[in-house]
Amino acid sequence: VIHQSKMGRRPARCVRFQKNKPYIKSRFCRGVPDSKIRIYDCGAKKTNVDVFPFVAHLVSDEKEQLTACALEAARVACNKYLVKNTGKEGYHIRTRAHPYHVIRQNKMLSCAGADRLSSGMRHSYGKPMEMAARISIGQIIVSVRSKDVNANHVIEALRRAKFKFPGRQKIMKSNKWGFTKFDREDYVKGRKEGWIRPDGCSVKYIAEHGRISEKNHVTHGQ
């Protein structure tokens, strides 16, 4: 009786580089195991946009692939540090990279007499084994918003998350207000004048054009 030995996970160097086209789960590529990362937002994710002005990003400095396992490990490491140092309600982590690319592996027999049974590199098109996210240079991997007093804790949490990824990443403090697209000065001005309205953890921009009603009646500053 021949048993196929259960090999451990292959290291990141095997799947790190973007070699081929994106290969996604479809009706042609079936039997793909579920992604390891299932939660992309954690912490106080329903906290109002006004409460968390500070935001920092973990930005990739390489064109590469990050496995779902690595993304989950980074999320856990970041979350654990922030829970300990800022409390459960003191931060909101958002994983911005999603693993859609399917990684295949050509499994080999590694038991006695395997050389006579296995086909080696014949028919070497592998079986789907795990998922990975395809990352480009300058792409944000993880973002964290928090209060200004917790800025150093957020940066340290992202530094710890970096150790879970291959390649080089940079931690960047943003000039934006939280997860919005507005700079801090514009945000404060917009909230005072009423052309920015809170909408969960983001905001709505109330434009000057369109029909005038009670809902969108705003006087923009000259």
Side-chain angles (χ1 to χ4, degrees):
V1 180
I2 303 295
H3 296 285
Q4 188 168 356
S5 65
K6 184 82 174 81
M7 299 291 287
R9 280 188 69 255
R10 291 187 183 176
R13 64 173 175 267
C14 300
V15 294
R16 178 178 162 188
F17 300 107
Q18 290 186 25
K19 287 183 179 175
N20 307 315
K21 292 177 183 176
Y23 183 64
I24 58 164
K25 185 178 177 180
S26 65
R27 67 178 197 266
F28 310 110
C29 171
R30 300 179 303 277
V32 178
D34 285 337
S35 169
K36 282 283 194 300
I37 183 166
R38 309 296 291 173
I39 301 164
Y40 291 90
D41 283 74
C42 55
K45 55 192 176 188
K46 291 188 178 177
T47 303
N48 192 288
V49 65
D50 292 332
V51 180
F52 289 158
F54 177 80
V55 64
H57 307 293
L58 186 62
V59 180
S60 175
D61 210 19
E62 289 187 26
K63 183 183 177 184
E64 60 179 352
Q65 292 180 167
L66 302 177
T67 62
C69 239
L71 289 167
E72 174 66 4
R75 183 191 70 82
V76 169
C78 193
N79 190 46
K80 195 168 277 188
Y81 183 84
L82 286 171
V83 165
K84 193 174 172 184
N85 290 281
T86 67
K88 275 186 191 172
E89 300 299 312
Y91 65 94
H92 175 193
I93 301 169
R94 178 171 285 170
T95 306
R96 306 275 290 270
H98 287 239
Y100 291 119
H101 180 72
V102 178
I103 302 293
R104 298 188 307 267
Q105 285 180 19
N106 176 28
K107 283 291 186 186
M108 298 280 197
L109 290 169
S110 58
C111 52
D115 52 333
R116 279 177 289 149
L117 290 160
S118 65
S119 53
M121 288 303 285
R122 241 181 244 170
H123 306 298
S124 58
Y125 194 85
K127 294 269 195 303
M129 284 296 162
E130 58 180 334
M131 306 291 280
R134 290 164 72 91
I135 306 290
S136 53
I137 295 169
Q139 185 175 334
I140 298 171
I141 304 167
V142 181
S143 298
V144 184
R145 68 186 180 116
S146 185
K147 293 178 180 175
D148 284 323
V149 291
N150 293 327
N152 290 335
H153 292 313
V154 168
I155 289 164
E156 174 60 18
L158 288 174
R159 192 188 72 86
R160 292 181 179 214
K162 273 203 314 186
F163 294 128
K164 309 298 176 187
F165 297 128
R168 176 182 288 186
Q169 292 81 32
K170 290 184 175 169
I171 297 164
M172 298 196 170
K173 287 202 305 191
S174 177
N175 295 326
K176 309 289 183 196
W177 184 288
F179 289 160
T180 68
K181 62 182 180 181
F182 297 100
D183 285 346
R184 286 190 169 214
E185 295 80 27
D186 295 340
Y187 181 87
V188 172
K189 187 183 174 192
R191 290 287 282 121
K192 274 182 187 168
E193 294 174 5
W195 47 270
I196 289 177
R197 298 251 173 94
D199 182 33
C201 66
S202 190
V203 289
K204 276 182 181 170
Y205 171 70
I206 310 298
E208 284 182 297
H209 64 271
R211 294 179 66 181
I212 296 172
S213 66
E214 286 298 320
K215 194 176 175 186
N216 72 349
H217 175 64
V218 167
T219 312
H220 281 250
Q222 297 301 316

